[in-house]
């Protein structure tokens, strides 16, 4: 099954995200120039880039995707050889200038909107998730260096990373420190020449070593000898594989090596490395930002990566949906009621009601996750692009609120949709030959890395819900209620009970928000017990209203025939998927005590 980029769906979601970002910016600040924030994507620019990105996805990345799964990267004498076709595909990546799409123009980037880059990342990750993990990390490093590094470091490394010639990595995790960076032990010693000597071990380092480039730029968290304990004592360092010479070319091999590759459930083509720093006295590193302030720098990179991981969830879901639909239209078995009495061959399984339910679920959930991710990207854009200070601040608050939802909800959807994809295939889905299982295996990690989805839920409830005095949440609720009201006023029978179900979902979200806000300080364990359910409820509300808005936009700008598909998707999501909102509300507001019975069930917990 080959991948085909769903450009009409992607472009519709982009239009919704940009329009929503602009509209939200004027709620408190009034009319501003925010409507010009995305003008560089006009006059066919966005459509042209998306078309070329789709060709790269379909023609370059998709054909080697299976190679990565069947022939993983291998480590020999400290050197990693990537899967067949990887090196050539990366050369074409560099030649296409794809690394520079949203990178800052003053260091060689195009400086285009992140929402455009998000759309491209979705397509590329659908075509080959394992390959795209390398460029995604470079995107985050570009942000971290452009905002926190010294001018000298920026001049030396940013042009190389932006061009794609020197890809970057992120080195956080250690054997004893997974999500808890308080336990980080890697050391940094000050050297007389202003550099630092880095020593320690890092695990789960994506593309920590490979053969696709002449150099690799590692961003490494480590502690100085006099650093305060906990996360307040972490610094961030740039540690290149090869130290650049006077001409800026790879020079001396640094004191860093790959000691092993993980054997993983999925994304086999992505080398996941154990990295050793300091075998020979310490790897040479340069400080990024200030000493003991590295976590703030790294969060710049991680927040970008979290949206990218959310897009991986969308990407895997889209790929699985395409394959399941094609299979269901070809596979013939049985006859549904409408076919009874007919003679001849059996019906395609896509004609059966339960298979239609699964296919509709896959399609609607994928579209909802896409809407949330693009909305987050557009808000991030406006937080930098708007000239009005209040508009920028509101967009910043919105992006902060939506980021954990984009990451966790979308990757949960990725797992659920790829599982349904296997189910649609029946027994053949369990056979590796069809490829359906690969989508499920590949995306399983997305709910785990870059902050587990449980951590995202905690961030949403314990930090983002009341951040900025709850302004961001209040504005988001107002925006979603306005969409539900617009569906009601459309008086279009094709929407069915969409408006009613959206209002019910928003009511449950509002009640849950009020309850959790009352518990955060008074009974934090109660708030934490309902955090994951709340994130899911938020995703249903934001995704459902997003799909309804997209449908209304198509209906307004086109005709009833063109709007039939997006209206059907929005209606199914509201009537079948949002129907769980009331149950989630009960879990959040009335069931915290039963979660805490874990200490009874598991006596040692």
């Amino acid at each position: 099954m080959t991948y085909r980029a769903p450009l009409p769906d992607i472009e519709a979601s982009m239009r919704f995200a940009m329009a929503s970002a602009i509209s939200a910016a004027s709620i408190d600040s009034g009319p501003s120039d925010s409507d010009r924030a995305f003008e560089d994507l006009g006059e066919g620019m966005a459509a042209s880039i998306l078309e070329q990105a789709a060709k790269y996805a379909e023609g370059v990345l998709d054909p080697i995707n299976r190679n990565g799964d069947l022939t993983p990267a291998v480590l020999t004498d400290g050197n990693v050889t990537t899967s067949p076709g990887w090196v050539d595909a990366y050369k074409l990546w560099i030649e296409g200038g794809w690394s520079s799409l949203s990178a800052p123009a003053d260091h060689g980037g195009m400086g285009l909107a992140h929402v455009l880059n998000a759309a491209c990342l979705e397509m590329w990750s659908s075509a080959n998730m394992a390959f795209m993990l390398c460029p995604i990390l470079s995107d985050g490093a570009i942000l971290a260096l452009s905002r926190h590094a010294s001018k000298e470091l920026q001049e030396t490394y940013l042009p190389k990373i932006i061009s794609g010639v020197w890809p970057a990595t992120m080195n956080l995790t250690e054997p004893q420190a997974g999500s808890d960076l308080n336990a980080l032990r890697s050391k940094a010693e000050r050297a007389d020449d202003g550099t630092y000597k880095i020593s320690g071990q890092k695990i789960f380092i994506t593309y920590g070593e490979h053969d696709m480039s002449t150099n690799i730029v590692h961003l490494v968290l480590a502690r100085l000898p006099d650093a305060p304990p906990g996360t307040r004592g972490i610094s961030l360092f740039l540690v290149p594989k090869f130290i650049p010479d006077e001409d800026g070319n790879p020079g001396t091999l640094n004191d860093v090596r790959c000691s092993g590759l993980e054997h993983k459930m999925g994304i086999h083509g992505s080398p996941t490395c154990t990295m050793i720093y300091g075998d020979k006295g310490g790897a040479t590193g340069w400080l990024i930002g200030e000493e003991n302030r590295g976590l703030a720098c790294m969060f710049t990179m991680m927040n970008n990566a979290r949206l990218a991981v959310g897009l991986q969830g969308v990407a895997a879901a889209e790929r699985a949906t395409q394959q399941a639909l094609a299979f269901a239209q070809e596979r013939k078995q049985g006859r549904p009621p409408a076919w009874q009495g007919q003679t001849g061959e059996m019906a395609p399984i896509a004609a059966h009601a339960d298979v239609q339910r699964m296919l509709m679920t896959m399609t609607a959930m994928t579209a909802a996750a896409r809407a949330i991710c693009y909305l987050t990207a557009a808000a991030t854009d406006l937080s930098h692009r708007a000239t009005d200070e209040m508009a920028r601040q509101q967009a910043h608050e919105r992006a902060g609120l939506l980021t954990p939802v984009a990451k966790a909800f979308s990757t949960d959807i990725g797992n659920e949709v790829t599982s349904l994809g296997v189910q649609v295939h029946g027994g053949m889905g369990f056979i590796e030959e069809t490829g359906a299982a690969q989508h499920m295996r590949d995306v399983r990690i997305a709910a785990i890395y870059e902050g587990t989805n449980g951590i995202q839920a905690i961030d949403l409830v314990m930090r983002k819900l009341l951040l900025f005095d709850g302004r961001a949440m209040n504005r988001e609720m107002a925006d979603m209620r306005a969409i539900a009201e617009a569906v009601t006023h459309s008086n279009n029978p094709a929407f069915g009970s969409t408006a009613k179900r959206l209002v019910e979902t928003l009511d449950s979200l509002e009640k849950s928000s009020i309850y959790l806000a009352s518990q955060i300080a008074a009974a934090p364990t109660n708030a934490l017990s309902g955090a994951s359910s709340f994130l899911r409820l938020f995703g249903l509300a934001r995704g459902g209203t997003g799909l309804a808005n997209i449908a209304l936009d198509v209906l307004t700008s086109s005709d009833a025939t063109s709007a039939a598909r997006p209206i059907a998707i929005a209606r199914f999501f509201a009537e079948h998927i949002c129907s769980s909102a009331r149950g989630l509300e009960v879990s959040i507001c009335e069931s915290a005590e039963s979660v805490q019975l874990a200490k009874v069930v598991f006596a040692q917990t």
Side-chain angles (χ1 to χ4, degrees), residues 413-428:
I413 294 309
N415 278 300
E416 293 168 27
V417 169
T418 54
S419 180
L420 280 172
V422 172
Q423 189 72 22
V424 169
H425 281 75
M428 290 305 297

Side-chain angles (χ1 to χ4, degrees), residues 419-503:
S419 180
L420 280 172
V422 172
Q423 189 72 22
V424 169
H425 281 75
M428 290 305 297
F430 202 68
I431 305 300
E432 289 287 353
E433 180 183 337
T434 63
Q438 183 189 342
H439 311 319
M440 186 176 175
R441 289 187 287 101
D442 282 352
V443 80
R444 187 61 188 87
I445 185 60
I448 299 171
Y449 59 18
E450 301 305 338
T452 66
N453 286 2
I455 289 175
Q456 304 306 312
I458 292 169
D459 178 45
L460 176 64
V461 169
M462 303 303 286
R463 294 186 63 248
K464 303 297 176 58
L465 183 60
L466 296 182
L467 197 62
F468 310 113
D469 298 323
R471 293 194 305 268
M473 187 66 189
N474 291 337
R475 283 195 297 267
E476 210 64 30
M477 285 296 304
D479 178 74
M480 291 187 287
R481 288 202 180 277
I483 294 170
E485 186 176 349
V487 175
T488 301
H489 291 327
S490 72
N491 293 318
N492 190 319
F495 277 106
S497 300
T498 299
K500 180 180 180 181
R501 296 292 174 255
L502 289 179
V503 169

Side-chain angles (χ1 to χ4, degrees), residues 25-26 29 32 34 382-383 386 388-396:
S26 62
S29 60
S32 69
S34 295
L382 210 63
S383 71
D388 181 84
E389 184 176 353
M390 183 174 290
R392 286 197 309 273
Q393 178 61 27
Q394 289 180 4
H396 169 72

Side-chain angles (χ1 to χ4, degrees), residues 115-130:
V115 69
L116 176 64
N117 193 52
C120 293
L121 282 178
E122 181 202 321
M123 291 187 284
W124 296 328
S125 297
S126 277
N128 196 327
M129 177 177 167

Side-chain angles (χ1 to χ4, degrees), residues 280-319:
K280 302 175 182 178
T284 301
W286 284 263
L287 181 69
I288 298 174
E290 302 176 22
E291 290 185 352
N292 305 322
R293 298 292 300 275
L295 201 57
C297 302
M298 186 60 83
F299 271 130
T300 299
M301 191 175 187
M302 289 179 68
N303 282 333
N304 175 81
R306 284 171 177 169
L307 175 56
V309 171
L311 289 162
Q312 289 174 358
V314 178
E318 173 63 37
R319 178 95 190 226

Side-chain angles (χ1 to χ4, degrees), residues 39-69:
E39 61 184 359
D40 55 335
L41 301 185
E43 298 181 357
M45 171 67 84
S48 176
I49 291 175
L50 289 173
E51 183 178 348
Q52 293 304 313
K55 289 180 179 179
Y56 180 75
E58 297 169 356
V60 178
L61 296 183
D62 180 52
I64 63 172
N65 181 46
R66 195 65 171 158
N67 291 346
D69 191 53

Side-chain angles (χ1 to χ4, degrees), residues 206 245 254 335 544 591:
T206 301
D245 59 22
N254 211 344
R335 292 185 177 89
S591 307

